[in-house]
Amino acid sequence: MHARNKNRTDHSEEGLEPRRTLLSINGTRPAIDYGPIENNIGYALRRAQIAVFQDFFAGFAKVDIRPAQYSVLTIIERNPGLSQSQVAEALGIKKANFVAMVDTLEARGLIRRVPTTNDRRSYGLFLTPSGKRIILTLHNIAAMHERRITQRVGPNQLRDLLAALRVITDMATDRGKKVRP
């Protein structure tokens, strides 16, 4: 049993078990009562995101790629020639942030912008030969990252978690809002 679960108490009217979580494995720090946020979906999602991103950053550090950059490269790989606006919209990235990211990826020689034939103000995005080589490495690193998560959560729970997250994501699209990752 992990130290986080050591001091569980059941005082919730809904039958959920808020935890008194130890901040250190050795128990030298006092337990923290997280109150109602302990069972708050948003709080749990944010803490899970932090844990997932920490693992992602550790795996991708040697190639100096961040999660959003990996997503952009993957979308371009799978959909060569999409416009900058289309890629940004598909990933829910603000246009101003996306332009800077494209500039960085282009400066690294991973993507190239090509003026579209029907609108010279618009650019299609393509992986360069270097981008095509690195994306294979990135997919392998991502697969190892996903395996670590699956080992921790278990394949059935992971499948259920992904299904639940898609339902939650649909809440925003049901209201006509774009979801930003």
Side-chain angles (χ1 to χ4, degrees):
M1 179 178 281
H2 295 286
R4 281 184 49 104
N5 298 330
K6 197 173 186 178
N7 290 336
R8 292 191 100 152
T9 58
D10 186 358
H11 59 273
S12 169
E13 293 177 18
E14 293 132 22
L16 298 174
E17 294 184 19
R19 289 184 287 203
R20 293 189 184 272
T21 305
L22 296 179
L23 294 179
S24 65
I25 300 290
N26 65 14
T28 59
R29 296 168 117 184
I32 302 296
D33 183 350
Y34 284 86
I37 68 169
E38 183 72 26
N39 292 305
N40 179 286
I41 293 169
Y43 180 75
L45 286 172
R46 180 65 178 140
R47 292 299 296 258
Q49 179 194 24
I50 291 168
V52 168
F53 274 25
Q54 286 174 341
D55 186 78
F56 183 97
F57 290 136
F60 281 75
K62 62 184 166 225
V63 288
D64 191 26
I65 294 290
R66 302 187 59 81
Q69 293 171 323
Y70 174 62
S71 298
V72 168
L73 291 169
T74 299
I75 293 296
I76 295 169
E77 173 201 27
R78 304 296 298 191
N79 307 276
L82 284 182
S83 71
Q84 293 180 186
S85 297
Q86 289 172 309
V87 176
E89 184 176 334
L91 294 172
I93 300 172
K94 291 180 180 177
K95 196 170 187 175
N97 298 341
F98 187 74
V99 170
M101 189 182 317
V102 168
D103 289 345
T104 299
L105 294 172
E106 189 174 41
R108 288 182 63 183
L110 301 177
I111 65 170
R112 62 186 168 91
R113 298 178 221 202
V114 176
T116 60
T117 55
N118 52 349
D119 183 356
R120 292 193 122 341
R121 295 171 297 164
S122 180
Y123 293 90
L125 300 175
F126 296 86
L127 293 181
T128 62
S130 293
K132 289 177 182 177
R133 282 190 301 276
I134 198 169
I135 197 71
L136 299 174
T137 300
L138 298 177
H139 289 325
N140 287 330
I141 295 169
M144 289 185 291
H145 165 72
E146 292 295 320
R147 278 194 296 277
R148 284 190 297 277
I149 294 169
T150 302
Q151 287 171 348
R152 185 81 178 219
V153 175
N156 293 335
Q157 284 182 299
L158 183 62
R159 183 195 64 237
D160 293 345
L161 174 62
L162 290 172
L165 290 172
R166 288 182 186 109
V167 170
I168 292 169
T169 300
D170 288 345
M171 288 172 56
T173 55
D174 289 347
R175 290 190 301 268
K177 295 180 181 175
K178 295 178 181 144
V179 178
R180 286 193 354 241

